[in-house]
Structures are given as C-alpha cells and as structure tokens.
Amino acid sequence: MQGFAGYLTSYNAIVIAFRGSADVVNWFYNLQTAKTSYPICSGCQIHSGFKAIYDAIAPTVLSQVNRLRGFYPGARIMLTGHSLGGAIAVLSSLHIRQVYGSVG
C-alpha cells in the first residue's frame, strides 16, 4: 500500500492520501471479501482484505500523523484515497478518530 502524508497550508490540514490498487498483491487483498469483526465499532463487520492492509500500515499512519501534529498541533486531519485507497482512508479515519478524538 502506498500513501502520502503532508501539510496543506491553505486548509491548515494534515492530509493523508492513499493510492488505489497498483499491483497483483493489492488485487489479492481486494478479493478477500469475507467479513471480519472490527473492534473499533461494536457489532460492525468489514472486508477482511481491507482490514489486513490497514492493520499492516496502521503503525506507519499513526506515526506520520504524530510527526505532523508535532509541527502543526492545531491542524485538522483530512484523509482521501482512490479505489482501494478510499477504503483504507475510511478505516484510517475511524482509527485516527479513536486515537485523537476527531479527524477534521
């Protein structure tokens, strides 16, 4: 999974953007459509392939958010992504909201 983390001055926002499917490995996870529980949301189920990808990158995502919040403590956090990246952005936003209390 590939993404970008940066600061957008015009919006006073930390922006996290995720790329869509780019290779066979991404498609392998796209096709893992079985549902699995999602501990952030009581009673929720999510796509197991998307969860596996996010679980693998979550420490890096939070590390980058922490790093950028150190430089821009009052900034909002905005997430976006295309295709597979959109699904990962949604999971990231839920996790970031759980950790920080808001996303933006």
Side-chain angles (χ1 to χ4, degrees):
M1 191 70 214
Q2 294 180 344
F4 170 83
Y7 177 73
L8 186 58
T9 306
S10 59
Y11 284 88
N12 186 31
I14 295 166
V15 178
I16 311 292
F18 296 99
R19 179 180 178 166
S21 300
D23 59 27
V24 173
V25 174
N26 291 155
W27 282 105
F28 170 77
Y29 285 103
N30 280 337
L31 296 173
Q32 291 183 6
T33 60
K35 301 290 188 260
T36 187
S37 63
Y38 194 53
I40 291 175
C41 176
S42 178
C44 294
Q45 291 192 324
I46 63 171
H47 184 282
S48 61
F50 298 163
K51 183 178 183 306
I53 291 171
Y54 185 68
D55 287 348
I57 66 167
T60 302
V61 171
L62 291 181
S63 171
Q64 290 304 307
V65 170
N66 283 331
R67 182 182 67 82
L68 289 165
R69 285 189 63 159
F71 293 116
Y72 311 103
R76 298 182 304 163
I77 303 170
M78 300 171 72
L79 294 107
T80 189
H82 171 72
S83 187
L84 172 61
I88 300 306
V90 169
L91 296 178
S92 297
S93 69
L94 293 170
H95 191 196
I96 290 168
R97 184 172 183 156
Q98 180 189 40
V99 172
Y100 296 108
S102 68
V103 176

